Amino acid sequence: MKWLLLLGLVVLSECTIYKVPLVRKKSLRQNLAENGLLKDFLKNHRINPASKYFPKEAATLLSTQPLENYMDTEYFGTIGIGTPTQEFTVIFDTGSSNLWVPSVYCSSPACSNHNQFNPQSSSTYQATSQTVSIAYGTGSMTGILGYDTVQVGGITDTNQIFGLSETEPGSFLYYAPFDGILGLAYPSISSSGATPVFDNIWNQGLVSQDLFSVFLSSNDQSGSVVMFGGIDSSYYTGQLNWIPLSSEGYWQITVDSITMNGEPIACSQGCQAIVDTGTSLLSGPTSPIANIQSYIGASEDSYGQMVISCSAINSLPDIVFTINGVQYPVPPSAYILQQNGGCTSGFQGMNLPTASGELWILGDVFIRQYFAVFDRANNQVGLAPVA
């Protein structure tokens, strides 16, 4: 899961593209391990970056910061809220829709070691009487809603509604290396009906296209970005393949099949999936995921992690996701994660039942392989292999 920010403005073919370089920091899993809490946390909470679902074209010059490679891959960016600006690290999360940050009204331990928004220090803050509550399974927040100016990716987003946390129970958010979350999914899943940041930006005419793009760099590479309002073809090879959404809440699509060596290993009759930058791994229903773990030789260790021999990277085949008739291979170098001298599986089991069936989550393990365009104007996702 889930940033100091270098802001850049790029003009591309009459389309303004705002880029938010993302920087990875020490992961939640690493923090828990260093504090001797990983084993108990995994036992009690089954660390699950996707657990939020349970309750309810030209070359460009980028400003980048070095990426660090820890046990988990996590992508962050810094935004500013208020006048003068107060800075917060947030997850740019296509799997949720609310913006929230810790506030000075919060007494939870998780707020004590993170930046806290102080409304009294902002001349542009407007209070409301509305409350907000968001449950993430292994973490949650409750608080109040307010309006203020948000600086994100070089954009000045005025009159933006956001959550100010009053409680952040448990240890999950205490050890999380981010302050809050900036959701990039549809308004229909926004808690308390709060207008998401991108919707507010588009409604104010601050970007020239009703879409945003994401590039997540791999491991020791730099340059991860979110691009608001445009597409930069220097990040991918070939052409973008467009996939219509099957539901407009999360960025939900239909997967035709999941195969290995041409044989189906899951989703043989088709399945639903969410393209989610806020989830580290590739998640799916526990039964087919267990089959995949078996196929690739992963087994559970005493910490609850699915470990695998690092040598398997050189011998295992690609796992191929066929989506809208196009094959999207995920190689073993992507679905086997190398960290701290060992290797773990990039797959995780999670049952997420919906009216359209149980969902798969195409998280960062998948998105690192494919430049992704999230097109609100046409309700579709564009994917192309990263350059």
Side-chain angles (χ1 to χ4, degrees):
M1 289 174 46
K2 355 291 187 223
W3 320 106
L4 246 159
L5 179 62
L6 299 176
L7 301 178
L9 172 63
V10 178
V11 177
L12 174 65
S13 302
E14 299 183 352
C15 295
T16 303
I17 301 178
Y18 297 90
K19 301 193 173 185
V20 185
L22 307 183
V23 177
R24 272 184 284 168
K25 294 183 179 180
K26 185 173 293 188
S27 71
L28 170 62
R29 192 180 296 260
Q30 181 79 1
N31 279 324
L32 292 172
E34 289 178 356
N35 287 276
L37 297 172
L38 179 59
K39 184 173 182 178
D40 286 343
F41 193 86
L42 284 168
K43 177 181 179 181
N44 295 326
H45 298 279
R46 312 293 298 177
I47 281 184
N48 182 357
S51 59
K52 56 178 171 274
Y53 299 109
F54 285 119
K56 314 229 192 224
E57 271 174 50
T60 59
L61 178 64
L62 298 179
S63 297
T64 61
Q65 292 185 356
L67 298 179
E68 299 175 78
N69 190 10
Y70 287 91
M71 292 176 69
D72 298 317
T73 301
E74 302 175 342
Y75 297 86
F76 303 88
T78 295
I79 65 170
I81 304 177
T83 308
T85 296
Q86 301 174 45
E87 291 190 342
F88 300 90
T89 55
V90 295
I91 305 165
F92 285 80
D93 181 19
T94 60
S96 66
S97 297
N98 289 81
L99 168 61
W100 68 267
V101 296
S103 79
V104 293
Y105 305 131
C106 178
S107 57
S108 300
C111 297
S112 66
N113 63 344
H114 291 87
N115 293 329
Q116 301 173 28
F117 181 74
N118 187 347
Q120 295 183 344
S121 298
S122 174
S123 62
T124 46
Y125 178 76
Q126 299 176 49
T128 79
S129 59
Q130 294 178 271
T131 61
V132 63
S133 176
I134 309 172
Y136 294 89
T138 51
S140 63
M141 66 79 67
T142 64
I144 58 173
L145 292 171
Y147 289 86
D148 213 328
T149 299
V150 173
Q151 303 288 341
V152 54
I155 301 170
T156 299
D157 171 23
T158 58
N159 202 38
Q160 175 63 54
I161 192 168
F162 69 104
L164 295 75
S165 76
E166 294 178 316
T167 68
E168 297 178 24
S171 59
F172 178 84
L173 291 173
Y174 179 86
Y175 289 105
F178 56 86
D179 298 317
I181 295 175
L182 191 155
L184 291 168
Y186 279 73
S188 61
I189 63 168
S190 180
S191 295
S192 299
T195 302
V197 168
F198 186 72
D199 287 78
N200 207 43
I201 289 172
W202 172 250
N203 292 340
Q204 294 178 66
L206 300 177
V207 290
S208 49
Q209 294 186 70
D210 192 8
L211 57 78
F212 59 92
S213 311
V214 174
F215 167 74
L216 299 184
S217 61
S218 298
N219 297 325
D220 57 353
Q221 298 175 351
S222 59
S224 299
V225 291
V226 176
M227 296 172 240
F228 293 109
I231 302 167
D232 186 341
S233 63
S234 68
Y235 283 96
Y236 62 87
T237 61
Q239 64 181 19
L240 286 163
N241 294 301
W242 294 101
I243 307 160
L245 296 188
S246 54
S247 178
E248 297 161 18
Y250 304 111
W251 289 90
Q252 185 173 328
I253 59 176
T254 299
V255 175
D256 304 332
S257 65
I258 302 172
T259 59
M260 179 187 286
N261 290 325
E263 297 297 325
I265 58 172
C267 188
S268 59
Q269 303 300 315
C271 55
Q272 293 296 298
I274 291 167
V275 185
D276 183 10
T277 59
T279 290
S280 300
L281 306 181
L282 267 164
S283 301
T286 53
S287 181
I289 286 290
N291 291 337
I292 291 176
Q293 305 288 28
S294 178
Y295 281 122
I296 66 176
S299 59
E300 188 172 347
D301 68 5
S302 59
Y303 290 99
Q305 300 181 102
M306 298 304 295
V307 297
I308 187 171
S309 171
C310 293
S311 62
I313 293 175
N314 302 315
S315 59
L316 286 170
D318 294 351
I319 293 178
V320 179
F321 290 74
T322 301
I323 305 170
N324 202 30
V326 177
Q327 292 189 340
Y328 297 90
V330 179
S333 59
Y335 66 74
I336 297 177
L337 309 178
Q338 303 181 70
Q339 44 202 351
N340 291 350
C343 288
T344 58
S345 169
F347 290 92
Q348 67 175 1
M350 181 195 72
N351 291 319
L352 175 56
T354 69
S356 53
E358 292 190 338
L359 292 179
W360 289 72
I361 314 297
L362 305 182
D364 297 344
V365 165
F366 180 89
I367 299 171
R368 277 195 292 276
Q369 305 302 304
Y370 297 99
F371 181 80
V373 182
F374 299 84
D375 184 353
R376 285 289 301 274
N378 300 294
N379 297 314
Q380 61 186 356
V381 172
L383 296 175
V386 295

Short mmCIF file of all heavy atoms in Angstrom, two decimals, residues 75 126 176 184 262 265 275 306 336 356:
data_model
loop_
_atom_site.label_atom_id
_atom_site.label_comp_id
_atom_site.label_asym_id
_atom_site.label_seq_id
_atom_site.Cartn_x
_atom_site.Cartn_y
_atom_site.Cartn_z
N TYR A 75 3.46 3.09 -3.01
CA TYR A 75 3.66 4.31 -3.79
C TYR A 75 2.95 5.49 -3.13
O TYR A 75 1.79 5.38 -2.76
CB TYR A 75 3.13 4.10 -5.21
CG TYR A 75 3.87 3.02 -5.97
CD1 TYR A 75 3.50 1.68 -5.84
CD2 TYR A 75 4.93 3.34 -6.79
CE1 TYR A 75 4.17 0.69 -6.53
CE2 TYR A 75 5.62 2.35 -7.49
CZ TYR A 75 5.23 1.03 -7.36
OH TYR A 75 5.91 0.05 -8.03
N GLN A 126 -13.30 25.85 5.45
CA GLN A 126 -14.72 26.02 5.74
C GLN A 126 -15.23 24.76 6.43
O GLN A 126 -15.13 23.66 5.88
CB GLN A 126 -15.52 26.24 4.46
CG GLN A 126 -15.12 27.48 3.67
CD GLN A 126 -15.88 27.59 2.36
OE1 GLN A 126 -17.11 27.46 2.33
NE2 GLN A 126 -15.17 27.81 1.27
N ALA A 176 1.61 2.66 9.42
CA ALA A 176 1.57 2.97 7.99
C ALA A 176 2.46 4.17 7.69
O ALA A 176 2.47 5.15 8.43
CB ALA A 176 0.13 3.27 7.56
N LEU A 184 -9.40 7.83 -6.01
CA LEU A 184 -9.56 8.19 -7.42
C LEU A 184 -10.62 7.35 -8.13
O LEU A 184 -10.64 7.29 -9.36
CB LEU A 184 -8.21 8.04 -8.15
CG LEU A 184 -7.13 9.06 -7.77
CD1 LEU A 184 -5.78 8.65 -8.33
CD2 LEU A 184 -7.52 10.46 -8.25
N GLY A 262 -1.04 -21.81 -21.44
CA GLY A 262 -2.20 -22.01 -22.28
C GLY A 262 -3.35 -22.73 -21.63
O GLY A 262 -4.42 -22.89 -22.24
N ILE A 265 -6.08 -21.68 -15.21
CA ILE A 265 -5.78 -21.98 -13.80
C ILE A 265 -6.74 -21.25 -12.88
O ILE A 265 -6.76 -21.50 -11.67
CB ILE A 265 -4.32 -21.63 -13.44
CG1 ILE A 265 -4.04 -20.14 -13.70
CG2 ILE A 265 -3.34 -22.50 -14.21
CD1 ILE A 265 -2.69 -19.68 -13.19
N VAL A 275 -9.13 -2.65 -11.14
CA VAL A 275 -7.78 -2.13 -11.36
C VAL A 275 -7.51 -1.14 -10.23
O VAL A 275 -8.11 -0.07 -10.18
CB VAL A 275 -7.64 -1.47 -12.74
CG1 VAL A 275 -6.19 -1.05 -12.98
CG2 VAL A 275 -8.12 -2.41 -13.84
N MET A 306 3.28 -16.08 2.08
CA MET A 306 3.42 -17.14 1.09
C MET A 306 4.81 -17.05 0.47
O MET A 306 5.08 -16.19 -0.37
CB MET A 306 2.34 -17.03 0.03
CG MET A 306 0.92 -17.17 0.57
SD MET A 306 0.63 -18.72 1.48
CE MET A 306 0.85 -19.93 0.17
N ILE A 336 6.67 -12.88 -8.41
CA ILE A 336 7.50 -13.33 -7.29
C ILE A 336 8.26 -12.12 -6.77
O ILE A 336 9.01 -11.49 -7.51
CB ILE A 336 8.47 -14.45 -7.72
CG1 ILE A 336 7.69 -15.68 -8.17
CG2 ILE A 336 9.40 -14.80 -6.55
CD1 ILE A 336 8.57 -16.80 -8.69
N SER A 356 -22.08 -9.14 -8.76
CA SER A 356 -21.58 -9.68 -10.03
C SER A 356 -20.59 -10.82 -9.81
O SER A 356 -19.90 -11.23 -10.74
CB SER A 356 -20.92 -8.57 -10.85
OG SER A 356 -19.93 -7.89 -10.10
#
